[in-house]
Amino acid sequence: MNDARSTDVVVIGGGQAGLAAGFHLTRAGADFEILDASDGPGGAWPHTWPSLRLFSPADYSSLPGRRMPRTDGGNPDASHVVEYLRGYEEYYGLPVRRGVPVAAVERGDPDGFVVHAVDGRRWRARAVITATGTWSRPFVPTCPGIAAFRGEQIHSAAYRGPEPFGGRRVVVVGGANSGAQIAADLAGHLEESHGELTWCTTEPPRYLPDHVDGRELFRVASASVRSGSGGGVAELGDIVVVPPVRAARDAGLLAATPMFTRFHPDGVEWDDGRRERVDAVIWCTGFRPALGHLRGLGLPRVGGRVVAEGPAVPDVPGLFLLGYGDWCGAASATLIGVGQWAKAAVTAALARGSGAR
């Protein structure tokens, strides 16, 4: 491994979680690098649909150390988040290497890790914080007849706005935030263009109270962590009622229908035999953690998820999972929530060696 660069910590992923880790590593005076597969800053945010907005005002959507600038006209949109993350990275001078997808992480000698980039470069580190997120692994469930369906299918990750769907018969699948927001985004456009919207959910939509936004969600998540109650934001509901969702709902344009049970070549069918012709299906069915680079470590899993205690992987000392969801830290997939878990991961990572200098 003489050609491998040695460092205290390698952070894999340069989105919001990776930058939060970088902030705490910088404050600790650690030697570290952030390896990011993308060519530009912003993590997943440059790839979202234009109308997407945060659940909270800018004051409640900040990473540690530097506030997000306020915006006019409501909560920040995705482009505002991208510029904030770009400025955050530059302000702290974080050592992000762009265009460096990681192929594998393996155990090193004696107790560290070797990180292998796709292009053959390697890094040795006493600790690895993986913060690759979920956006690159969209999930589409299996459904009878799906291969025979002749219409268009996309995941929410590929949705870029309502214009391509004008005048078409569109089914949106999913009863959480992305399903509600995309259904709301499409509703008025399809009505005006004489298209049709069908919003399919497995359960009736559970809207949070209209006054609840990301500030309250973070408060509840934080209280759950402090109390160890195991409750959390899921008890409040599934859908944050951001202004576009509220407007579409109150106008009667967000009427959910039960999930169809199968496809036929020209559309979908329900258990009662009812059929509907469909031109396009948009799957708002979530994502899976992008952890393929860790497969060689043989990590134990329960229910398909890597076993973690907060961000730490107890079976692999020195390995940390940051920002993938509540299972590795309550609210860790949010801008405001990831900071506390980044600090915990960095503190534990640097405790393994000389760390701070």
Side-chain angles (χ1 to χ4, degrees), residues 137-212:
R137 288 199 63 207
F139 171 72
V140 174
T142 59
C143 186
I146 191 170
F149 177 58
R150 293 191 287 250
E152 179 183 3
Q153 296 184 64
I154 67 168
H155 190 273
S156 61
Y159 178 75
R160 293 296 178 269
E163 289 76 16
F165 300 96
R168 302 170 73 188
R169 296 160 297 195
V170 182
V171 171
V172 173
V173 178
N177 285 299
S178 61
Q181 288 195 31
I182 288 177
D185 198 41
L186 285 164
H189 185 78
L190 290 178
E191 186 177 53
E192 293 173 2
S193 62
H194 305 291
E196 296 179 11
L197 171 66
T198 302
W199 181 27
C200 291
T201 62
T202 55
E203 301 288 343
R206 296 198 314 146
Y207 294 102
L208 277 75
D210 285 8
H211 70 278
V212 172

Side-chain angles (χ1 to χ4, degrees), residues 49-94:
W49 60 93
S51 65
L52 178 66
R53 287 187 175 270
L54 300 184
F55 298 152
S56 307
D59 286 349
Y60 292 86
S61 303
S62 302
L63 293 179
R66 187 168 174 80
R67 288 209 167 195
M68 179 182 288
R70 294 180 178 177
T71 58
D72 296 327
N75 295 352
D77 61 14
S79 63
H80 187 80
V81 178
V82 172
E83 289 309 306
Y84 167 67
L85 295 179
R86 183 195 306 276
Y88 187 94
E89 180 182 322
E90 293 174 351
Y91 182 82
Y92 289 110
L94 299 179

Side-chain angles (χ1 to χ4, degrees), residues 256-324:
T257 191
M259 183 62 188
F260 57 86
T261 53
R262 63 188 61 86
F263 282 91
H264 61 82
D266 297 316
V268 297
E269 182 178 340
W270 282 262
D271 262 343
D272 60 6
R274 178 170 62 94
R275 286 190 166 199
E276 186 171 309
R277 293 177 64 85
V278 173
D279 298 310
V281 175
I282 302 174
W283 296 97
C284 302
T285 45
F287 300 81
R288 296 294 183 263
L291 297 176
H293 57 290
L294 302 181
R295 65 171 59 92
L297 297 176
L299 303 179
R301 295 173 181 263
V302 173
R305 288 177 173 169
V306 174
V307 176
E309 296 177 357
V313 179
D315 279 28
V316 185
L319 178 66
F320 302 89
L321 308 179
L322 183 61
Y324 295 96

Side-chain angles (χ1 to χ4, degrees), residues 206-209 217 220 224 229-239 326:
R206 296 198 314 146
Y207 294 102
L208 277 75
L217 297 180
V220 171
S224 175
S229 65
V233 298
E235 296 179 353
L236 299 178
D238 299 319
I239 300 170
D326 288 351

Side-chain angles (χ1 to χ4, degrees), residues 122-135:
R122 295 181 292 185
W123 285 260
R124 294 175 62 111
R126 294 189 60 80
V128 169
I129 299 173
T130 181
T132 49
T134 62
W135 192 263

